[in-house]
Structures are given as structure tokens and as C-alpha cells.
Amino acid sequence: MYVADSRASTSAHGAVRPPAGRRRAAVAPTVVALGTVSLVTDVSSEMVTAVLPLYLVTGLGLSPLGFGLLDGIYNGFSALVRLVGGHLADRGGGRHKWVAGLGYGISAACKPLLLMAHALTPIGLVLAADRTGKGLRTAPRDALISLSSTPETRGRAFGVHRAMDTAGALLGPLAAFWILRATVDGYDAVFTVSFCVAVLGVLVLVLFVPGGRGAPSGPEPAVRPTIRAALTLLGGRDLRRITVCALLLGLATVSDSFVYLLLQRRLGVPDRWFALLPLGTAATFLLLAVPLGRLADRVGRWTVFLAGHGTLLLAYLLLLTSWHGTGLPYLVLALHGAFYAATDGVLMAAASDSVPEGLRSSGLAVVQTGQALTRFACSLLFGAAWTMWGDRAALAGAAVALAACAAFSLGMRPENTNGTKETVTA
């Protein structure tokens, strides 16, 4: 990581920027601090995510359609507030940290509420509130990462952050598994410990992530940061193509929870081992996030992004085969993790190249909002298809849709996704 010296500048958004003209081998301290916050927070959230499908389907007896509705809420409700979070962060210098902190705090407060929710409606409300917190924090956090990095190293910076984030995703299911085996009221214990860990993540953000109103590093932005101004960014060819492709591919991306439920049914995984399935995805994500981020900086972010969806398609096809060998879960989960390593941070790095600094948080929120909405729709459609026609027919439909959307996206390559230059006007 680099340490800012007297030639480093601080942007109007509170992000420390490297000195002009100097290439850095690693990433900014801001990225590492945010990665630590995400690591701790993901331990908390993945403890819940790891047991939630089994808790809802087996413990509360929800149908696949009911679970699809809740899973869609869990993964897609944040779309309704991401633009708001991005807008609040862009209005005035130094708000990125505090808007993100508000989001982390809301999500932490929701964890103990799961102890009191035992029916579809209250659980849905709690999950909606939790995702509201995620929606508020995601765009400001990613904007801070982008603003703290140079265009040439942005893929690596997002890769480092996502790797640290995924380390938490790796530890969360392990903690949930241990708690379920060591306690009598396993689910209640998981939710309680998750709350305590989430509070720790908020404290790390407040104490260690740079914030405050730094002096502006350049002229005032030409465009006033409003939600309308963020939406007008879609008039730019590159960002419009990135957003359209993210929407289409999100519409064919089956939720993680459904992938794990499909694996459990195919292999007859005992309930007590279910919480360990996300570990395969997280371990691969952790190993590949930084290498694929660096590769995206070199060969092009769009190339790596589409290749990641190719690995997801392979995972779908493996789940559709009749193979029941012991290597199936390892291969499917490895492909699943590679998909996230090649797409999650890489998409934000690609979008950052087409968004001006003054609208960085709002612009990234536009892409994130579209993707979250289509993934919400995918959860609903997949849950309904599973309920009506069975899991194999639902997955076959998702595989065909993903192949078609990937083929379309192949011809929609944006021009500026290699970090070679940065758009500075809206």
C-alpha cells in the first residue's frame, strides 16, 4: 500500500489520491481500511445468509416461490435506495464515509430483529430494512475506492477490496456452522453473534476510514450532483452499454441461495452441512479477486467481465447434467466463485472510467440499481418456475437466458474500459 506524502492530494470527497505521475505497486490506505470494514461486516452478514435458506425453507416451511420472494427482497430491495445513497454522498464534500456509515448501521440494527420475526411478512420487512442499509452504503463505498485509485490501477484496487470482503464471506459460514453445532437454539445464537460482529464493523469504519471535508483538488464540478444528473450520464455511449448489459445479465443470474439449494438437492447434503456450501464460492472468490482485477487492468475489463459470466454458465450446465460425482460440488462452487471474482469489482472499475468525479457515487449507483432490480426479478421468476415446473426446468431456462444475454453483450463492448483514460465530463 502507499502512504500519502506531501505531494498527495485530497479530493473534495475526502479520498486521498496518489501523486500525479507516480505509479503505485499496491493500493491506497483508504481501500485497505474499507476492505477491513467489509471483511468484518461480511462475517456478520454471511453468518445470516448461510443459514437463511435452510431456516426459511426447512424451519419455517416456505415454498420455493415464497423463498424466491424473500430472496428477491434480500438481494434486490437495495435497488430502491442506491440512487438515494449515491446522491447524498455526492452532495457536498466528505459525505461518502458518513452515508456509508449510516447504511452499515441500519444493517447492523436489523440483525437482532430476526430473533422476533417468524412469519413471511415480518421477515420480509426486516430483510427489506437490512437491504436498505446495503443500498445506502454500496455506492459511496465503491466511489471512495474509485476516487482513491488511479484509472490504471482501479481494477486491482477493487480486486483487493473484494478479496478482503470475501475473506469475511469465508469466515461467516464457518462461524455459523460452529454456532449451529455448539448451541441448542442455533439460529437465535447465529443472529445474536451476527449483530455483535456488525457493530464492530461500524466502529472500524468510524475510527479508521478517512472522512471529513477535504479541500477541493480542482475546480467545482460542471454538473450539480442530482439524481437527474446521474441518470443523464446514461446518454454517454459507454456507460449506457455497460448498464444495459449489466441489466440483461442480471436478469439471468440465479441467486446464490438457489444455487446452494440445488446442490443440496442434487447431492442430498445433510442440513447441518448446508452452511458450509458458500465456503467454496467464497474461497475461490478470495483467491481470484486480485489476480483477475489486475488482469482486467491489462487486457480489458469487459473481456474479463464477460468471461466471468461464461464460468457461471458452465456451473449451470454442470448442475443440469446427470453427474453425481464427489467432484461436482467443488467444481460448481469454484466456477461460482470465479464468476464473482471476474465480475463484481470489475464491473465497478469499468463503470468508473465513464463517470465524472463529481458524480462518481451517483453514477455507480445507476449501474448497481439496474443490476439489483433485474436480479430481484430473476429471483421471483426462478422461484415461480421452480414451483410450477421443477428445479431442472427453471435452471435450464436460466442457462438459455444467460447464454443469449452474454452473446448480446459480446457485441456491446464499451470503448473505454481498460483504465487508459477517464471521462471527466457528464
Side-chain angles (χ1 to χ4, degrees), residues 214-420:
S217 59
E220 290 295 319
V223 180
R224 185 171 179 266
T226 64
I227 293 179
R228 176 178 292 182
L231 293 175
T232 59
L233 292 174
L234 294 176
R237 182 172 180 268
D238 281 356
L239 188 64
R240 182 174 63 251
R241 288 190 170 196
I242 290 171
T243 305
V244 168
C245 292
L247 263 64
L248 291 175
L249 291 166
L251 195 59
T253 302
V254 175
S255 164
D256 299 356
S257 298
F258 276 125
V259 171
Y260 303 143
L261 285 172
L262 287 166
L263 267 178
Q264 187 202 29
R265 295 200 172 200
R266 281 285 307 276
L267 302 175
V269 177
D271 289 354
R272 66 180 180 276
W273 298 105
F274 182 84
L276 295 182
L277 289 178
L279 294 182
T281 297
T284 308
F285 193 171
L286 176 63
L287 291 173
L288 296 181
V290 175
L292 289 181
R294 298 181 66 179
L295 181 65
D297 286 336
R298 291 200 301 270
V299 306
R301 289 159 191 160
W302 202 242
T303 300
V304 174
F305 179 70
L306 292 181
H309 284 87
T311 64
L312 181 63
L313 180 60
L314 288 177
Y316 289 176
L317 295 177
L318 281 174
L319 286 170
L320 288 169
T321 65
S322 57
W323 180 38
H324 287 75
T326 55
L328 177 63
Y330 300 102
L331 189 54
V332 168
L333 294 175
L335 290 170
H336 197 227
F339 157 69
Y340 277 113
T343 59
D344 190 13
V346 172
L347 176 62
M348 290 297 97
S352 295
D353 296 330
S354 303
V355 178
E357 180 178 314
L359 292 171
R360 186 63 51 82
S361 184
S362 303
L364 295 183
V366 169
V367 181
Q368 294 167 351
T369 296
Q371 187 180 58
L373 284 173
T374 54
R375 288 188 175 181
F376 171 78
C378 183
S379 286
L380 293 180
L381 293 172
F382 190 85
W386 185 338
T387 301
M388 292 186 291
W389 301 308
D391 55 352
R392 289 182 64 84
L395 186 60
V400 172
L402 180 59
C405 293
F408 175 81
S409 300
L410 191 61
M412 294 281 286
R413 179 186 300 272
E415 294 180 356
N416 179 31
T417 57
N418 295 325
T420 55

Side-chain angles (χ1 to χ4, degrees), residues 78-88 135 227 230-231 362 365-367 369:
S78 61
L80 300 177
V81 292
R82 289 193 188 200
L83 283 175
V84 175
H87 169 64
L88 291 176
I227 293 179
L231 293 175
S362 303
V366 169
V367 181
T369 296

Side-chain angles (χ1 to χ4, degrees), residues 5-246:
D5 57 25
S6 59
R7 290 169 294 176
S9 63
T10 303
S11 77
H13 306 276
V16 179
R17 312 170 87 191
R22 287 187 69 177
R23 292 289 301 274
R24 294 293 183 173
V27 296
T30 299
V31 177
V32 177
L34 287 168
T36 304
V37 174
S38 293
L39 188 157
V40 175
T41 302
D42 245 37
V43 171
S44 168
S45 61
E46 291 302 320
M47 287 175 63
V48 174
T49 302
V51 302
L52 196 61
L54 201 62
Y55 176 65
L56 296 175
V57 175
T58 302
L60 299 184
L62 291 183
S63 67
L65 177 58
F67 175 73
L69 175 61
L70 284 181
D71 190 70
I73 291 173
Y74 193 72
N75 291 290
F77 192 85
S78 61
L80 300 177
V81 292
R82 289 193 188 200
L83 283 175
V84 175
H87 169 64
L88 291 176
D90 281 337
R91 289 192 63 184
R95 291 189 180 180
H96 292 77
K97 170 181 175 177
W98 303 114
V99 174
L102 175 62
Y104 281 112
I106 292 174
S107 294
C110 289
K111 299 300 188 295
L113 296 180
L114 288 170
L115 296 169
M116 300 176 283
H118 300 287
L120 182 63
T121 299
I123 291 175
L125 291 174
V126 173
L127 294 182
D130 178 76
R131 293 300 90 179
T132 297
K134 182 175 177 61
L136 285 174
R137 72 180 185 249
T138 301
R141 180 203 66 196
D142 284 350
L144 277 174
I145 296 170
S146 175
L147 292 167
S148 300
S149 310
T150 63
E152 295 80 11
T153 61
R154 203 164 276 149
R156 179 190 304 169
F158 276 101
V160 168
H161 174 267
R162 295 317 197 251
M164 297 181 71
D165 180 269
T166 307
L170 192 65
L171 295 173
L174 284 174
F177 174 73
W178 180 83
I179 292 170
L180 286 175
R181 289 179 61 88
T183 59
V184 177
D185 298 323
Y187 292 119
D188 289 351
V190 168
F191 299 150
T192 301
V193 175
S194 173
F195 167 68
C196 297
V197 176
V199 171
L200 177 62
V202 175
L203 291 176
V204 173
L205 175 76
V206 172
L207 296 176
F208 297 105
V209 173
R213 295 177 178 267
S217 59
E220 290 295 319
V223 180
R224 185 171 179 266
T226 64
I227 293 179
R228 176 178 292 182
L231 293 175
T232 59
L233 292 174
L234 294 176
R237 182 172 180 268
D238 281 356
L239 188 64
R240 182 174 63 251
R241 288 190 170 196
I242 290 171
T243 305
V244 168
C245 292

